[in-house]
Amino acid sequence: MIYRENGQFKTTYRADQQIFPIRQDRIVIMAFLALAFVAVPALSSEYLLRAILIPFLILSLAAIGLNILVGYCGQISLGTGAFMAIGAYAAYNFMVRIEGMPLVVALVLGGLCSTVVGVLFGIPSLRIKGLYLAVATLAAQFFTDWAFLRIKWFTNDSSSGSVSVSELSLLGWQIDTPADKYLFCLSFVCICALLAKNLVRGHIGREWMAMRDMDVAAAVIGIRPVYAKLTAFAVSSFFVGIAGALWGFVHLGSWEPAAFSIDRSFQLLFMVIIGGLGSIMGSFFGAAFIVILPIVLDNLPYWFGIPIDTALASHLTYMVFGALIVFFLIVEPHGLARLWSTAKEKLRLWPFPH
């Protein structure tokens, strides 16, 4: 059997509560991390790193932040792109206005600024929910689009709202090649994913899930709705703000408010829904689905030598992409993470299913 669990005894509470209680899972995760940190940057092409892996990592981090709010706490948000923009522009202002500002500190401060704004826009969640809350968070999107275009201070007096950064460095390490940028993003994503996983496993994560399942019952048993909802908005906005700063600093280099438009908010929401609500692993699955699948569909006719017009190919890509989204949601409404969980359960019983 692939999952041979006999003989794996747990004699302490710490061993019983670890993230990966099965030894095979720990071995696979360690091998996967070794592959990601060592083999991928050494063997991957510049196109693979720039166009696929770096966007995948950053959007995975943003999807983790949104999943905390939507999947774990049940608060619908359509303003994720706005919080990404706040993180990016805040980190930019810290870099250009404070001489010698370390890159990591600027990124974290950008996430904290996004946290403050996220809490402010999360206050309506104390009185409204559902589609009404979605409209309230949508206001954040339109407000930030207007602010970063009209208030010149945010863009260091840039007339177009476009800003740029260059010469990224960390403790003497020049982050200029695609492999360096990939490793920098991967380190951030691993740390934030571990932090998010431990948060949702702790008491605060149980409070979020209680509010998601039934907020009235959660309040009856002593959970404070104000604290639970606002902490979900704060943590979610922090991760999304860091992802926005990474998107601007590492992936784009120069950007304008259109880089964090409402399309980005819907894209992240689709990632969470397709990957799996209430699942950290589902955030990675959803990001991979959204980032990689369109590229595969675009190149599929050329790989098989099918002559097709470029405009028709782009339209077919959107059609097939939308059909696959609907298919996955019909087959498994709980997302790709649920399919992964079901496959693991079958492997634990194989070859004796019952």
Side-chain angles (χ1 to χ4, degrees):
M1 289 184 288
I2 297 177
Y3 277 101
R4 198 174 186 86
E5 298 181 47
N6 57 318
Q8 298 186 31
F9 303 111
K10 302 175 181 65
T11 57
T12 62
Y13 286 113
R14 183 176 182 180
D16 191 46
Q17 295 174 355
Q18 57 189 331
I19 297 177
F20 301 105
I22 302 175
R23 183 184 299 119
Q24 290 89 332
D25 285 339
R26 296 195 295 271
I27 294 173
V28 169
I29 290 298
M30 294 303 296
F32 185 79
L33 288 176
L35 181 69
F37 275 99
V38 178
V40 171
L43 302 177
S44 299
S45 64
E46 181 176 347
Y47 170 79
L48 181 62
L49 292 171
R50 286 184 181 274
I52 298 178
L53 294 179
I54 292 176
F56 160 71
L57 290 173
I58 299 174
L59 293 177
S60 297
L61 178 57
I64 289 174
L66 182 60
N67 213 338
I68 288 176
L69 184 62
V70 179
Y72 284 98
C73 196
Q75 308 299 305
I76 301 177
S77 174
L78 295 178
T80 315
F83 302 127
M84 288 185 70
I86 292 168
Y89 279 99
Y92 167 78
N93 276 277
F94 282 116
M95 287 291 289
V96 299
R97 299 182 188 280
I98 302 177
E99 186 176 356
M101 171 63 70
L103 175 60
V104 173
V105 176
L107 296 177
V108 173
L109 289 175
L112 292 176
C113 291
S114 182
T115 298
V116 174
V117 179
V119 170
L120 292 177
F121 279 96
I123 292 176
S125 69
L126 306 178
R127 302 299 296 270
I128 59 178
K129 56 184 177 180
L131 293 176
Y132 300 100
L133 178 60
V135 173
T137 56
L138 189 61
Q141 184 70 56
F142 295 123
F143 176 77
T144 55
D145 287 346
W146 172 85
F148 293 130
L149 278 174
R150 302 301 178 186
I151 303 177
K152 304 303 180 185
W153 186 87
F154 290 128
T155 59
N156 198 22
D157 297 325
S158 173
S159 58
S160 62
S162 176
V163 298
S164 61
V165 293
S166 59
E167 297 181 359
L168 303 178
S169 62
L170 175 64
L171 301 176
W173 173 34
Q174 294 296 323
I175 307 172
D176 48 6
T177 66
D180 293 337
K181 293 179 178 180
Y182 163 80
L183 289 173
F184 182 71
C185 291
L186 180 62
S187 301
F188 251 100
V189 171
C190 289
I191 294 172
C192 291
L194 181 62
L195 178 60
K197 185 64 176 178
N198 281 291
L199 279 174
V200 299
R201 292 168 66 235
H203 70 91
I204 189 171
R206 291 192 291 272
E207 291 182 358
W208 292 341
M209 288 182 277
M211 295 302 301
R212 174 196 65 192
D213 295 337
M214 187 174 291
D215 53 354
V216 176
V220 168
I221 64 175
I223 295 175
R224 295 170 293 170
V226 174
Y227 176 78
K229 292 183 179 181
L230 292 186
T231 51
F233 269 95
V235 174
S236 171
S237 301
F238 178 73
F239 287 138
V240 171
I242 290 181
L246 288 173
W247 188 262
F249 277 57
V250 179
H251 179 54
L252 298 178
S254 62
W255 69 93
E256 55 187 10
F260 306 100
S261 64
I262 192 172
D263 292 339
R264 185 72 62 204
S265 299
F266 282 113
Q267 183 188 43
L268 291 168
L269 186 60
F270 293 154
M271 288 181 188
V272 172
I273 294 173
I274 295 169
L277 291 169
S279 170
I280 300 298
M281 183 66 71
S283 302
F284 290 96
F285 287 149
F289 186 90
I290 295 293
V291 172
I292 298 174
L293 187 62
I295 298 175
V296 173
L297 293 176
D298 281 335
N299 292 279
L300 203 59
Y302 304 103
W303 292 342
F304 289 96
I306 303 174
I308 188 172
D309 183 66
T310 305
L312 177 61
S314 63
H315 286 87
L316 285 176
T317 297
Y318 284 116
M319 293 169 61
V320 175
F321 185 60
L324 286 173
I325 290 176
V326 174
F327 171 77
F328 273 113
L329 292 181
I330 292 175
V331 172
E332 183 49 74
H334 297 289
L336 298 176
R338 180 60 181 173
L339 294 176
W340 172 252
S341 178
T342 302
K344 285 183 61 178
E345 290 299 322
K346 290 185 179 296
L347 286 176
R348 293 178 71 174
L349 300 174
W350 184 86
F352 306 110
H354 61 275

